[in-house]
Amino acid sequence: MLTRRFRDCDGNGSILYGGRSGRYWHELKKTQRPRIKINRSKTVQLDYVCSAMNVLYAWKNKTNISKDEQYNIEGFEGKANRQFVKQMTNIMLNAKNSRQSALAFEWWLARRDNAYLKRKYDANPFNLAKLQRLIKLRHKSIATMFYQPKIGMNLQFLESSLVFEVAVQLCRRGIPTLTCHDEFIVPQADKGEAEEVMYSTYIDKRLYRAVF
């Protein structure tokens, strides 16, 4: 069963920004989820490529969500650097300005579970303001979306709306589906059809309001 929960993010009783679905399998680690079975059948985990940014592009350009890689920036190649770019991009969609973004990035990097990334950064540090400029240049067609209050919450709402719509479409096709963030857990036999539904479903602006 899918349920939606709402948080009063504005503090005024509004439920403009919606939450995600949640059930017990959300408590499983990513490495444990492949062991989930549906109707005694093995499952696969399908998720969107660079979901937040591709949802934003799809919304702005009125297209289906794409599989484009959005975190590739020249000079920041490699797995660790991609994670740095991804994190800073997401922070810039939730912060008010460049300084706040840099502080949030430093706080994130100092977390205990990011010890490996901290070592990689310390071994080859880079200017956080420069990285932000490169990200804005990389996404110049939507650069005005950065440093705007509530953009991140709007994106979370749109992403969760897309996930719910895909889950409904899969249900109508008889494909049992569990959702976990932007991930769909489906029987292995239904992988191809599930991916087709994921990338052919779009966010109808007439049904989902977002303030960009």
Side-chain angles (χ1 to χ4, degrees):
M1 176 183 292
L2 293 175
T3 61
R4 299 199 73 174
R5 298 177 180 176
F6 298 91
R7 289 190 303 169
D8 183 12
C9 297
D10 293 325
N12 62 0
S14 168
I15 56 172
L16 175 61
Y17 306 106
R20 300 172 182 267
S21 64
R23 276 294 184 263
Y24 61 87
W25 57 86
H26 282 224
E27 304 300 322
L28 298 176
K29 295 180 180 179
K30 190 175 182 66
T31 55
Q32 296 175 313
R33 293 201 291 270
R35 297 202 292 266
I36 293 176
K37 289 187 176 182
I38 297 178
N39 297 335
R40 299 183 180 181
S41 299
K42 291 184 178 180
T43 59
V44 292
Q45 292 72 49
L46 307 174
D47 59 4
Y48 287 110
V49 177
C50 307
S51 61
M53 291 301 291
N54 278 325
V55 165
L56 180 54
Y57 273 105
W59 177 263
K60 295 296 291 183
N61 298 331
K62 300 179 182 179
T63 61
N64 290 354
I65 189 169
S66 74
K67 298 181 180 180
D68 293 345
E69 171 56 55
Q70 302 293 355
Y71 304 125
N72 53 340
I73 291 182
E74 186 176 353
F76 285 84
E77 293 81 12
K79 186 175 181 180
N81 282 332
R82 183 188 183 278
Q83 188 62 37
F84 293 146
V85 173
K86 177 181 178 180
Q87 186 64 28
M88 182 61 86
T89 302
N90 289 333
I91 288 173
M92 291 167 64
L93 291 168
N94 289 275
K96 294 180 179 179
N97 51 51
S98 176
R99 176 172 172 75
Q100 189 180 83
S101 296
L103 291 173
F105 184 90
E106 291 173 348
W107 177 87
W108 167 79
L109 197 59
R111 283 169 32 182
R112 181 179 299 180
D113 55 340
N114 288 329
Y116 168 75
L117 292 173
K118 182 68 164 59
R119 290 195 298 271
K120 297 289 286 187
Y121 175 80
D122 289 342
N124 188 24
F126 49 85
N127 185 283
L128 298 181
K130 179 181 178 181
L131 174 58
Q132 293 178 61
R133 290 194 294 271
L134 290 173
I135 290 172
K136 291 182 69 176
L137 183 62
R138 166 71 173 78
H139 302 289
K140 57 185 177 181
S141 66
I142 57 170
T144 56
M145 298 294 101
F146 295 115
Y147 310 136
Q148 284 200 51
K150 301 181 182 177
I151 286 292
M153 286 188 290
N154 272 276
L155 272 178
Q156 289 176 34
F157 170 66
L158 290 177
E159 189 178 35
S160 67
S161 298
L162 177 62
V163 167
F164 268 78
E165 184 62 31
V166 170
V168 168
Q169 295 301 326
L170 291 174
C171 181
R172 289 172 176 169
R173 291 179 179 228
I175 300 176
T177 307
L178 303 179
T179 65
C180 187
H181 308 302
D182 66 332
E183 180 179 276
F184 302 91
I185 303 171
V186 301
Q188 283 185 353
D190 298 312
K191 177 183 176 181
E193 187 173 357
E195 286 183 324
E196 178 185 340
V197 173
M198 286 171 60
Y199 287 97
S200 62
T201 302
Y202 70 99
I203 305 170
D204 193 333
K205 287 192 174 185
R206 297 170 299 177
L207 301 179
Y208 301 109
R209 292 183 355 185
V211 185
F212 287 168

